[in-house]
């Protein structure tokens, strides 16, 4: 029996890295309003996120974002209409997290509304719960972004088992590094993805990390080094760099590794519902490969839900609230908070 949608309103706040995001969620998955201020362009000249600069931009972004979300949600008295404030408290950059957490605490105190600290990675899992009404635990979730590459088994709401993650770089980090060495704009991931579609994935024999090893674990630093070394060799020989082929070959190895380890996780757990989240989940080759898995039920959220957003934080917070979780107003962010 599906339960009736609640009219309960949750305010979600996300500021773990370089996106300031605010959302209003009604019940489990009805998005009333959401806004996001991305800092990607302002960090681009530095080739990566500059933590101090990120925190300062969050500080400037949040008040106008909130006012606009309340306006779009047609809230006449947010203090009375909002029943819960859910905020990302980690993992992430300390300065960035602090801005969102302080804003959430101030509002919770002023409005006398409950507060929930949400783990950013649990939030990423909820990007799927929000997007797909038919998705229920147990399911596998691969979170693959600039900071994380891991596979988690969601046994139930709030009950997770970590199956494995990266031993070194995250997949997105490797994409961005190879992009930088190729002289592509930041972030490299989406650009490499686009160029790869016009290239030959077998042009370079880049190794598939951890292939054949019977563990759910990833490693992208060796692959990154192999690509960077090959680019340096071509440059030294004054050879023209076949951008599309390098991108396609690099992407082939990344995608083969991600899909291979997901297949292993499916075999180990017997769970065939497979969800994706994180920026790299937007990757076109990864999506194509997963869509070929006819024995699995694959959940691929839209790109805007894969990347950082406040809807997923509100959804994870509301779920925790219904399970009786509450956070105190003493809450401090934890940049290395691990949930599993
Ligand atoms: O989840 P996200 O927005 O931020 C965090 O890292 O938390 O992920 C950003 C990462 C970047 O490394 C970016 O290059 C990568 O996701 N990315 C992609 C694609 N779109 C974004 N990587 C490969 N293919 C894409 N289409
Ligand atoms: Zn994220």
């Amino acid at each position: 029996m599906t339960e009736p949608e609640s009219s309960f309103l949750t305010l979600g706040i996300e500021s773990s890295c370089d996106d300031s995001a605010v959302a209003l969620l009604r019940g489990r998955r009805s998005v009333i309003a959401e806004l996001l201020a991305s800092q990607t362009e302002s960090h681009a000249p530095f080739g990566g996120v500059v933590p101090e600069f990120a925190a300062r931009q969050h500080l400037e972004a949040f008040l106008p974002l909130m006012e606009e979300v309340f306006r779009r949600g047609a809230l006449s008295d947010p203090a009375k209409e909002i029943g819960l404030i859910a905020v990302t408290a980690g993992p992430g950059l300390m300065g960035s997290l602090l801005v969102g957490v302080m804003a959430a605490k101030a509002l919770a105190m002023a409005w006398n509304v409950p507060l929930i600290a949400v783990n950013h990675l649990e939030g990423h899992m909820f990007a799927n719960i929000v997007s797909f009404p038919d998705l229920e635990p147990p399911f596998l979730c691969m979170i693959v972004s600039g900071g994380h590459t891991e596979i988690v088994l969601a046994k139930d709401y709030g009950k997770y088992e970590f199956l494995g993650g990266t031993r070194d770089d995250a997949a997105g980090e490797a994409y961005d590094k190879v992009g930088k060495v190729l002289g592509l704009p930041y972030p490299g991931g989406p650009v490499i993805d686009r160029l790869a579609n016009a290239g030959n994935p077998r042009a370079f024999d880049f190794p598939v990390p951890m292939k054949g090893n019977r563990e759910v674990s990833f490693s992208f630093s060796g692959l990154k080094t192999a690509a960077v070394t090959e680019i340096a060799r071509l440059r030294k020989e004054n050879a023209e760099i076949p951008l599309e082929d390098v991108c396609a070959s690099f992407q082939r190895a990344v995608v083969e590794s991600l899909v291979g380890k997901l297949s292993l996780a499916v075999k180990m757990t017997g769970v065939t519902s497979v969800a994706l989240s994180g920026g790299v989940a937007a990757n076109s080759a990864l999506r194509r490969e997963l869509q070929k898995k006819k024995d699995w039920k694959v959940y691929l959220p839209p790109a805007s839900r894969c990347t950082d957003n406040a809807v997923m934080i509100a959804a994870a917070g509301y779920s925790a609230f219904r399970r009786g979780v509450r956070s105190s107003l003493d809450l401090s962010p934890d940049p290395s908070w691990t949930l599993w």
Side-chain angles (χ1 to χ4, degrees):
M1 197 181 75
T2 51
E3 59 184 296
E5 256 318 310
S6 152
S7 60
F8 192 89
L9 261 194
T10 302
L11 174 67
I13 299 175
E14 156 66 35
S15 71
S16 63
C17 188
D18 60 343
D19 291 310
S20 323
V22 179
L24 273 175
L25 186 76
R26 195 180 293 288
R28 293 179 70 195
R29 54 170 64 89
S30 172
V31 180
I32 301 300
E34 67 171 308
L35 269 180
L36 184 143
S38 165
Q39 304 175 3
T40 305
E41 270 184 32
S42 46
H43 294 285
F46 308 101
V49 178
V50 183
E52 170 74 26
F53 191 30
R56 267 190 284 141
Q57 290 185 83
H58 284 304
L59 209 50
E60 284 164 20
F62 268 117
L63 271 183
L65 278 182
M66 273 190 207
E67 279 171 359
E68 183 57 17
V69 162
F70 296 160
R71 200 189 63 74
R72 291 190 188 184
L75 299 193
S76 49
D77 188 354
K80 296 213 169 64
E81 291 160 284
I82 290 171
L84 172 70
I85 299 173
V87 62
T88 305
L93 301 170
M94 186 52 160
S96 292
L97 289 165
L98 260 173
V99 180
V101 168
M102 294 311 283
K105 282 166 64 166
L107 290 177
M109 198 182 294
W111 295 348
N112 197 22
V113 165
L115 176 72
I116 298 256
V118 174
N119 180 287
H120 183 75
L121 298 179
E122 187 178 18
H124 271 300
M125 297 190 118
F126 271 82
N128 285 280
I129 304 279
V130 162
S131 307
F132 305 108
D134 69 317
L135 175 62
E136 293 282 346
F139 64 90
L140 292 168
C141 186
M142 182 164 75
I143 301 163
V144 59
S145 71
H148 301 273
T149 306
E150 44 201 73
I151 300 179
V152 176
L153 170 63
K155 295 177 168 174
D156 199 350
Y157 297 105
K159 283 204 183 121
Y160 309 111
E161 185 184 335
F162 175 77
L163 298 181
T166 182
R167 294 183 176 179
D168 40 58
D169 294 355
E173 197 178 347
Y175 263 100
D176 295 341
K177 181 70 204 288
V178 170
K180 194 171 180 177
V181 172
L182 285 172
L184 303 175
Y186 171 84
V191 190
I192 291 181
D193 186 9
R194 194 165 32 78
L195 289 167
N197 283 324
N200 171 7
R202 301 274 157 206
F204 296 91
D205 189 23
F206 295 141
V208 177
M210 305 296 220
K211 193 175 179 174
N213 132 347
R214 305 304 295 161
E215 275 172 42
V216 177
S217 56
F218 301 96
S219 163
F220 293 103
S221 109
L223 170 61
K224 175 189 75 183
T225 305
V228 168
T229 307
E230 187 60 29
I231 297 161
R233 190 188 63 79
L234 290 167
R235 286 210 175 110
K236 204 167 162 203
E237 289 173 2
N238 282 327
E240 197 180 323
I241 294 178
L243 262 186
E244 287 88 352
D245 288 349
V246 174
C247 292
S249 303
F250 169 76
Q251 180 151 293
R252 175 210 19 95
V254 174
V255 170
E256 213 177 307
S257 169
L258 295 174
V259 177
K261 294 303 176 183
L262 254 183
S263 305
L264 184 58
V266 167
K267 253 189 223 130
M268 280 167 52
T269 59
V271 174
T272 51
S273 288
V274 174
L276 246 67
S277 197
V280 183
N283 185 267
S284 62
L286 178 59
R287 287 176 170 247
R288 270 196 306 276
E289 283 309 309
L290 290 174
Q291 270 149 357
K292 291 182 192 161
K293 299 281 184 190
K294 296 299 174 209
D295 299 340
W296 301 1
K297 184 116 182 54
V298 177
Y299 296 88
L300 299 171
S304 62
R305 285 276 174 278
C306 287
T307 50
D308 292 350
N309 65 87
V311 169
M312 68 186 196
I313 302 303
Y318 178 57
S319 168
F321 181 74
R322 294 194 344 155
R323 300 194 303 271
V325 178
R326 302 289 182 275
S327 299
S328 114
L329 286 174
D330 294 342
L331 172 69
S332 296
D334 179 353
S336 49
W337 182 10
T338 48
L339 198 60
W340 33 72

